[in-house]
Amino acid sequence: MYKQKTKLFVSETQFAKLEKYAALIESNNKKFNLTAFSGNVLWKEGIFESILTMNFIISLSNKKKNSKLKILDIGAGVGFPSIPFLIANSNIELTISESMQKRCWFLKDISEKLDIRFNLICKPVQEISNKNFDIITARAVANLEKLDKITKKIQSPETFLAFIKGPKIFDETKKCRNCNYKIFELDNDLNKTIFVATKKINL
């Protein structure tokens, strides 16, 4: 079902690449246990949701979609949400920070096999010094307080933080002192509640 819905959002070439991406996840997952997603859930909560959510984040950021946006995805795992979005929107400059080595190996492999280009940093985000990011995002990585803390040194006046969250986000905001995040709910047909916690940096 969600595989066919995804097809409506992308070109035939992009869809073929997403199919190959899904197949690589499935085959490698048997050997390395990379993600809990498989089958229709992989297409629904992995690929389709990633494209939908990243499009929502771009719209919230007020940044021009057709400009060469510099996006950092923290702890992307097998590539959610940034890889499906990159396949569907090649005109972005993507950086992924992923410290788990088996997932880092997988990301290197798909870069070659899918012929997609992105910067891969195989270490924790705390070790990154580059401040030149338009958008910093993360999904299912850490609570809001920790995400706010570990991204402090790479925030610039142009940075837009956008962290993908579930219903527990409101508990996280209460514990995150002086975070000043705005919470937006993503309208979707995924039968789940998705929130995005956002903040524009003003240093």
Side-chain angles (χ1 to χ4, degrees), residues 127-155:
E127 297 182 33
I128 298 176
S129 57
N130 180 15
K131 289 189 174 184
N132 196 22
F133 298 112
D134 297 305
I135 296 172
I136 298 176
T137 191
R139 169 182 168 176
V141 172
N143 63 44
L144 197 58
E145 184 176 28
K146 184 174 181 180
L147 286 168
D148 197 70
K149 183 178 179 180
I150 65 178
T151 59
K152 283 291 185 187
K153 75 172 188 176
I154 55 173
Q155 296 172 4

Side-chain angles (χ1 to χ4, degrees), residues 19-69:
E19 282 189 305
K20 188 174 181 180
Y21 172 54
L24 286 168
I25 292 174
E26 296 276 22
S27 61
N28 282 278
N29 216 18
K30 294 174 183 176
K31 296 180 283 186
F32 303 112
N33 191 27
L34 298 168
T35 177
F37 295 160
S38 64
N40 186 55
V41 176
L42 172 59
W43 280 94
K44 177 186 176 182
E45 298 192 24
I47 296 171
F48 183 78
E49 183 180 321
S50 290
I51 295 171
L52 202 67
T53 308
M54 285 304 298
N55 279 328
F56 184 58
I57 286 172
I58 300 300
S59 68
L60 290 174
S61 73
N62 291 321
K63 295 181 183 293
K64 294 180 180 179
K65 187 174 180 180
N66 293 326
S67 62
K68 194 79 172 179
L69 292 177

